[in-house]
Amino acid sequence: MLPRSTSTNPVVLSYYTMRRMVGLIALALPFALAAGSILTALLGSGHLSHPLLERSISDYYYTPMRDYYVGSLCAIAAFLACSRGYDLHDEITGYLAAACVLGVACCPSFNPRSIRYTQLDFVFGLIHTAFAALMYLMLAYICIFLFRKSSSKKPFTHRKRDRNRIYVASGLIMVACMIAMVSLTILKVVERRHPSHWLFWCEALALGAFGVAWLTKGEGFMRDKRHQPDHVVGHHREVAPS
């Protein structure tokens, strides 16, 4: 990534904008899916959908919002795959994260409206859960380890230190939500019951943490002040989001 002093370069500005767009897509996804599903039900039948909220974000695959759900995940996956860091490790991380996001999009979870699960439903549900768990782990890894690096060409400022705290907090929130989601899913699968409604809120929180981290990395929050050098606290090497 180029130093911040060159951020007047349209290419760099576009890269920051793409980061912010990824963050906004992640933040908006739960609310857009819920609002779109409710609006579709009202316009179609004139009655509110039941249940009002699906029990997980993945359940919107089986609603009229399927295209928005899959499209949003594919957009995030495309950016992850196209991101470049300083070395091969960063690129591989981006490819793996993109593959996990695509796996979540392409392998549907359990249909919440099925009366009973077939063996195929059981297999696809577990694959979806595995991809989702790996996705959040990869995204958390990017936040906690890759985002915290900084360029040797610029000082490690107090604002950079504060941004690092945001990255770590976001990553830890995603890991905690992932553990909760996997636990809830496995418990319901073993009991042959439908997913817990808490899955939606765990996923929404995890996506919110992911979105905040990427908005911060895209200079949406905590941007270094120009022409007012902050106190230097160290030097690190920064990589672009992988």
Side-chain angles (χ1 to χ4, degrees), residues 153-182:
K153 298 180 180 180
K154 63 181 181 181
F156 187 78
T157 65
H158 283 297
R159 286 214 165 187
K160 171 59 178 173
R161 184 176 61 188
D162 292 337
R163 291 196 298 271
N164 284 352
R165 290 170 179 168
I166 293 177
Y167 302 145
V168 172
S170 298
L172 292 178
I173 288 173
M174 281 189 278
V175 171
C177 289
M178 181 275 297
I179 294 173
M181 287 185 286
V182 171

Side-chain angles (χ1 to χ4, degrees), residues 132-133 136-137 140 169-185 198-210:
Y136 284 115
L137 284 178
S170 298
L172 292 178
I173 288 173
M174 281 189 278
V175 171
C177 289
M178 181 275 297
I179 294 173
M181 287 185 286
V182 171
S183 300
L184 288 170
T185 301
W198 286 107
L199 281 175
F200 178 88
W201 298 109
C202 288
E203 291 172 340
L205 179 59
L207 285 173
F210 169 73

Side-chain angles (χ1 to χ4, degrees), residues 7-18 20 219 226:
S7 61
T8 55
N9 186 325
V11 176
V12 178
L13 290 174
S14 296
Y15 197 58
Y16 286 148
T17 300
M18 290 179 67
R20 291 194 292 269
E219 295 193 339
R226 302 185 190 281

Side-chain angles (χ1 to χ4, degrees), residues 11-141:
V11 176
V12 178
L13 290 174
S14 296
Y15 197 58
Y16 286 148
T17 300
M18 290 179 67
R19 287 173 172 173
R20 291 194 292 269
M21 288 305 299
V22 170
L24 289 174
I25 290 172
L27 280 172
L29 184 58
F31 306 102
L33 290 174
S37 181
I38 293 172
L39 183 61
T40 301
L42 286 174
L43 293 177
S45 63
H47 301 286
L48 289 174
S49 56
H50 181 75
L52 188 62
L53 296 177
E54 298 295 327
R55 279 165 286 196
S56 74
I57 291 177
S58 301
D59 286 354
Y60 284 96
Y61 181 89
Y62 299 98
T63 72
M65 298 301 294
R66 173 190 298 187
D67 291 343
Y68 184 87
Y69 164 77
V70 175
S72 296
L73 292 179
C74 288
I76 293 174
F79 180 77
L80 289 169
C82 294
S83 297
R84 292 293 179 269
Y86 282 124
D87 51 37
L88 183 62
H89 168 262
D90 304 323
E91 293 190 22
I92 291 176
T93 302
Y95 292 141
L96 290 176
C100 291
V101 176
L102 283 178
V104 172
C106 298
C107 295
S109 182
F110 305 101
N111 188 339
R113 293 167 180 79
S114 295
I115 298 175
R116 58 179 300 180
Y117 296 138
T118 65
Q119 188 64 33
L120 187 61
D121 292 332
F122 185 81
V123 171
F124 268 102
L126 289 181
I127 293 175
H128 176 87
T129 301
F131 270 126
L134 290 173
M135 177 187 74
Y136 284 115
L137 284 178
M138 292 300 301
L139 297 179
Y141 175 82

